[in-house]
Short mmCIF file of all heavy atoms in Angstrom, two decimals:
data_model
loop_
_atom_site.label_atom_id
_atom_site.label_comp_id
_atom_site.label_asym_id
_atom_site.label_seq_id
_atom_site.Cartn_x
_atom_site.Cartn_y
_atom_site.Cartn_z
N ILE A 121 1.49 29.96 -60.80
CA ILE A 121 1.35 30.99 -59.87
C ILE A 121 2.69 31.19 -59.22
O ILE A 121 3.40 30.21 -58.91
CB ILE A 121 0.25 30.65 -58.82
CG1 ILE A 121 0.06 31.83 -57.88
CG2 ILE A 121 0.57 29.40 -58.06
CD1 ILE A 121 -1.21 31.70 -56.95
N SER A 122 3.05 32.51 -59.07
CA SER A 122 4.30 32.84 -58.39
C SER A 122 4.05 32.83 -56.80
O SER A 122 3.08 33.42 -56.44
CB SER A 122 4.86 34.20 -58.84
OG SER A 122 5.25 34.21 -60.13
N VAL A 123 4.84 32.10 -56.11
CA VAL A 123 4.62 31.97 -54.64
C VAL A 123 5.83 32.50 -53.90
O VAL A 123 6.99 31.96 -54.11
CB VAL A 123 4.27 30.49 -54.34
CG1 VAL A 123 4.20 30.27 -52.78
CG2 VAL A 123 3.11 29.97 -54.99
N TYR A 124 5.57 33.45 -53.04
CA TYR A 124 6.60 34.05 -52.19
C TYR A 124 6.10 34.04 -50.80
O TYR A 124 4.98 34.49 -50.50
CB TYR A 124 7.03 35.43 -52.61
CG TYR A 124 7.64 35.41 -54.02
CD1 TYR A 124 6.81 35.77 -55.11
CD2 TYR A 124 8.91 35.08 -54.22
CE1 TYR A 124 7.34 35.75 -56.39
CE2 TYR A 124 9.46 35.02 -55.47
CZ TYR A 124 8.68 35.40 -56.61
OH TYR A 124 9.23 35.37 -57.82
N ARG A 125 6.88 33.50 -49.78
CA ARG A 125 6.45 33.33 -48.51
C ARG A 125 5.84 34.51 -47.83
O ARG A 125 4.80 34.58 -47.25
CB ARG A 125 7.51 32.79 -47.63
CG ARG A 125 7.10 32.50 -46.23
CD ARG A 125 8.04 31.53 -45.44
NE ARG A 125 7.65 31.29 -44.16
CZ ARG A 125 6.74 30.44 -43.81
NH1 ARG A 125 6.15 29.73 -44.69
NH2 ARG A 125 6.44 30.17 -42.55
N ASP A 126 6.48 35.72 -48.00
CA ASP A 126 6.07 37.00 -47.35
C ASP A 126 4.79 37.56 -47.98
O ASP A 126 4.15 38.43 -47.47
CB ASP A 126 7.09 37.99 -47.29
CG ASP A 126 7.63 38.35 -48.65
OD1 ASP A 126 7.33 37.75 -49.68
OD2 ASP A 126 8.33 39.49 -48.74
N LYS A 127 4.33 36.99 -49.20
CA LYS A 127 3.14 37.50 -49.83
C LYS A 127 1.96 36.50 -49.74
O LYS A 127 0.82 36.84 -50.27
CB LYS A 127 3.46 37.79 -51.34
CG LYS A 127 4.49 38.91 -51.47
CD LYS A 127 4.66 39.36 -52.82
CE LYS A 127 5.79 40.37 -52.88
NZ LYS A 127 5.67 41.48 -53.64
N LEU A 128 2.17 35.42 -49.10
CA LEU A 128 1.10 34.38 -48.98
C LEU A 128 0.08 34.78 -47.94
O LEU A 128 0.44 35.25 -46.87
CB LEU A 128 1.72 33.03 -48.68
CG LEU A 128 2.28 32.16 -49.79
CD1 LEU A 128 2.93 30.94 -49.27
CD2 LEU A 128 1.22 31.86 -50.84
N VAL A 129 -1.18 34.51 -48.24
CA VAL A 129 -2.29 34.73 -47.23
C VAL A 129 -2.42 33.38 -46.54
O VAL A 129 -2.12 32.36 -46.98
CB VAL A 129 -3.55 35.16 -47.93
CG1 VAL A 129 -3.46 36.44 -48.58
CG2 VAL A 129 -4.10 34.11 -48.87
N LYS A 130 -2.97 33.54 -45.31
CA LYS A 130 -3.30 32.27 -44.58
C LYS A 130 -4.58 31.75 -45.05
O LYS A 130 -5.55 32.45 -45.35
CB LYS A 130 -3.41 32.61 -43.05
CG LYS A 130 -2.14 33.04 -42.45
CD LYS A 130 -2.21 32.96 -40.94
CE LYS A 130 -0.93 33.52 -40.28
NZ LYS A 130 0.10 32.52 -40.20
N CYS A 131 -4.61 30.41 -45.22
CA CYS A 131 -5.84 29.74 -45.59
C CYS A 131 -6.88 29.89 -44.45
O CYS A 131 -6.52 29.81 -43.27
CB CYS A 131 -5.61 28.26 -45.88
SG CYS A 131 -4.41 27.85 -47.19
N GLY A 132 -8.13 30.15 -44.82
CA GLY A 132 -9.13 30.26 -43.85
C GLY A 132 -10.36 30.78 -44.39
O GLY A 132 -10.50 30.92 -45.63
N GLY A 133 -11.35 31.06 -43.61
CA GLY A 133 -12.66 31.44 -44.06
C GLY A 133 -12.60 32.77 -44.92
O GLY A 133 -13.27 32.77 -45.92
N VAL A 134 -11.88 33.77 -44.54
CA VAL A 134 -11.93 35.02 -45.29
C VAL A 134 -11.28 34.76 -46.67
O VAL A 134 -11.78 35.22 -47.63
CB VAL A 134 -11.19 36.18 -44.47
CG1 VAL A 134 -11.08 37.39 -45.33
CG2 VAL A 134 -11.98 36.42 -43.24
N SER A 135 -10.10 34.13 -46.64
CA SER A 135 -9.40 33.93 -47.98
C SER A 135 -10.25 32.98 -48.86
O SER A 135 -10.27 33.23 -50.07
CB SER A 135 -8.05 33.40 -47.73
OG SER A 135 -8.05 32.08 -47.21
N LEU A 136 -10.96 32.01 -48.35
CA LEU A 136 -11.77 31.18 -49.11
C LEU A 136 -12.97 31.98 -49.73
O LEU A 136 -13.31 31.73 -50.84
CB LEU A 136 -12.24 29.94 -48.29
CG LEU A 136 -11.20 28.99 -47.96
CD1 LEU A 136 -11.79 27.83 -47.05
CD2 LEU A 136 -10.47 28.32 -49.11
N LEU A 137 -13.55 32.84 -48.94
CA LEU A 137 -14.57 33.71 -49.46
C LEU A 137 -14.04 34.55 -50.53
O LEU A 137 -14.76 34.74 -51.57
CB LEU A 137 -15.19 34.57 -48.37
CG LEU A 137 -16.29 33.98 -47.54
CD1 LEU A 137 -16.74 35.01 -46.40
CD2 LEU A 137 -17.49 33.57 -48.29
N GLY A 138 -12.87 35.12 -50.45
CA GLY A 138 -12.27 35.96 -51.44
C GLY A 138 -12.08 35.22 -52.73
O GLY A 138 -12.10 35.71 -53.81
N GLN A 139 -11.73 33.90 -52.60
CA GLN A 139 -11.46 33.09 -53.83
C GLN A 139 -12.80 32.67 -54.48
O GLN A 139 -12.81 32.41 -55.64
CB GLN A 139 -10.64 31.83 -53.46
CG GLN A 139 -9.28 32.12 -53.02
CD GLN A 139 -8.54 30.88 -52.51
OE1 GLN A 139 -9.03 29.73 -52.61
NE2 GLN A 139 -7.34 31.13 -51.94
N ASN A 140 -13.87 32.64 -53.74
CA ASN A 140 -15.14 32.29 -54.30
C ASN A 140 -16.08 33.54 -54.34
O ASN A 140 -16.79 33.84 -53.50
CB ASN A 140 -15.83 31.20 -53.45
CG ASN A 140 -17.06 30.62 -54.21
OD1 ASN A 140 -17.46 31.15 -55.22
ND2 ASN A 140 -17.57 29.58 -53.66
N THR A 141 -15.77 34.38 -55.31
CA THR A 141 -16.35 35.72 -55.34
C THR A 141 -17.91 35.69 -55.55
O THR A 141 -18.58 36.63 -55.17
CB THR A 141 -15.77 36.57 -56.52
OG1 THR A 141 -15.85 35.83 -57.77
CG2 THR A 141 -14.30 36.87 -56.19
N SER A 142 -18.44 34.54 -56.10
CA SER A 142 -19.97 34.52 -56.24
C SER A 142 -20.61 34.60 -54.89
O SER A 142 -21.67 35.24 -54.74
CB SER A 142 -20.32 33.29 -57.08
OG SER A 142 -19.93 32.12 -56.35
N TRP A 143 -20.06 33.89 -53.88
CA TRP A 143 -20.69 33.94 -52.51
C TRP A 143 -20.48 35.31 -51.87
O TRP A 143 -21.39 35.83 -51.31
CB TRP A 143 -20.04 32.89 -51.61
CG TRP A 143 -20.57 31.48 -51.89
CD1 TRP A 143 -19.96 30.50 -52.57
CD2 TRP A 143 -21.86 31.06 -51.48
NE1 TRP A 143 -20.86 29.37 -52.65
CE2 TRP A 143 -21.99 29.69 -51.93
CE3 TRP A 143 -22.92 31.57 -50.81
CZ2 TRP A 143 -23.11 28.90 -51.78
CZ3 TRP A 143 -24.09 30.81 -50.55
CH2 TRP A 143 -24.16 29.50 -51.07
N LEU A 144 -19.38 35.87 -52.05
CA LEU A 144 -19.13 37.21 -51.51
C LEU A 144 -19.99 38.29 -52.13
O LEU A 144 -20.57 39.06 -51.45
CB LEU A 144 -17.61 37.59 -51.74
CG LEU A 144 -17.16 38.86 -51.06
CD1 LEU A 144 -17.36 38.87 -49.58
CD2 LEU A 144 -15.64 39.09 -51.39
N LEU A 145 -20.19 38.15 -53.48
CA LEU A 145 -21.07 39.10 -54.20
C LEU A 145 -22.55 38.90 -53.68
O LEU A 145 -23.23 39.92 -53.44
CB LEU A 145 -20.95 38.83 -55.70
CG LEU A 145 -21.82 39.83 -56.49
CD1 LEU A 145 -21.43 41.25 -56.28
CD2 LEU A 145 -21.65 39.42 -57.98
N LEU A 146 -22.89 37.69 -53.58
CA LEU A 146 -24.32 37.45 -53.07
C LEU A 146 -24.54 37.99 -51.71
O LEU A 146 -25.53 38.62 -51.40
CB LEU A 146 -24.58 35.86 -53.11
CG LEU A 146 -25.98 35.47 -52.57
CD1 LEU A 146 -27.05 36.05 -53.52
CD2 LEU A 146 -26.02 33.97 -52.49
N LEU A 147 -23.54 37.83 -50.77
CA LEU A 147 -23.61 38.32 -49.45
C LEU A 147 -23.73 39.85 -49.44
O LEU A 147 -24.49 40.42 -48.71
CB LEU A 147 -22.36 37.85 -48.65
CG LEU A 147 -22.38 38.33 -47.24
CD1 LEU A 147 -23.44 37.67 -46.39
CD2 LEU A 147 -20.92 37.95 -46.59
N LEU A 148 -22.92 40.55 -50.30
CA LEU A 148 -22.93 41.96 -50.37
C LEU A 148 -24.23 42.48 -50.85
O LEU A 148 -24.77 43.47 -50.39
CB LEU A 148 -21.78 42.48 -51.19
CG LEU A 148 -20.36 42.35 -50.60
CD1 LEU A 148 -19.30 42.74 -51.60
CD2 LEU A 148 -20.26 43.21 -49.31
N LEU A 149 -24.80 41.74 -51.79
CA LEU A 149 -26.14 42.18 -52.45
C LEU A 149 -27.26 42.04 -51.46
O LEU A 149 -28.21 42.80 -51.39
CB LEU A 149 -26.46 41.47 -53.71
CG LEU A 149 -25.50 41.83 -54.86
CD1 LEU A 149 -25.71 40.89 -56.04
CD2 LEU A 149 -25.72 43.22 -55.33
N LEU A 150 -27.17 40.93 -50.67
CA LEU A 150 -28.30 40.67 -49.74
C LEU A 150 -28.20 41.46 -48.40
O LEU A 150 -29.19 41.59 -47.70
CB LEU A 150 -28.39 39.16 -49.37
CG LEU A 150 -28.79 38.25 -50.57
CD1 LEU A 150 -28.69 36.82 -50.14
CD2 LEU A 150 -30.21 38.69 -51.05
N SER A 151 -27.04 41.90 -48.04
CA SER A 151 -26.79 42.58 -46.77
C SER A 151 -27.73 43.73 -46.50
O SER A 151 -28.44 43.72 -45.45
CB SER A 151 -25.41 43.01 -46.57
OG SER A 151 -24.60 41.85 -46.50
N PRO A 152 -27.97 44.71 -47.34
CA PRO A 152 -28.86 45.79 -47.10
C PRO A 152 -30.28 45.37 -46.88
O PRO A 152 -31.02 45.84 -45.94
CB PRO A 152 -28.73 46.73 -48.29
CG PRO A 152 -27.41 46.43 -48.88
CD PRO A 152 -27.17 44.91 -48.59
N SER A 153 -30.74 44.40 -47.76
CA SER A 153 -32.09 43.88 -47.62
C SER A 153 -32.28 43.18 -46.29
O SER A 153 -33.36 43.32 -45.67
CB SER A 153 -32.36 42.90 -48.83
OG SER A 153 -32.24 43.56 -50.00
#
Side-chain angles (χ1 to χ4, degrees):
I121 186 171
S122 294
V123 176
Y124 298 97
R125 184 163 178 79
D126 62 344
K127 296 188 187 221
L128 279 172
V129 296
K130 292 193 184 280
C131 299
V134 174
S135 64
L136 292 176
L137 275 177
Q139 292 173 8
N140 190 351
T141 54
S142 60
W143 282 104
L144 186 58
L145 182 59
L146 180 63
L147 181 64
L148 290 173
L149 290 174
L150 291 177
S151 292
S153 300

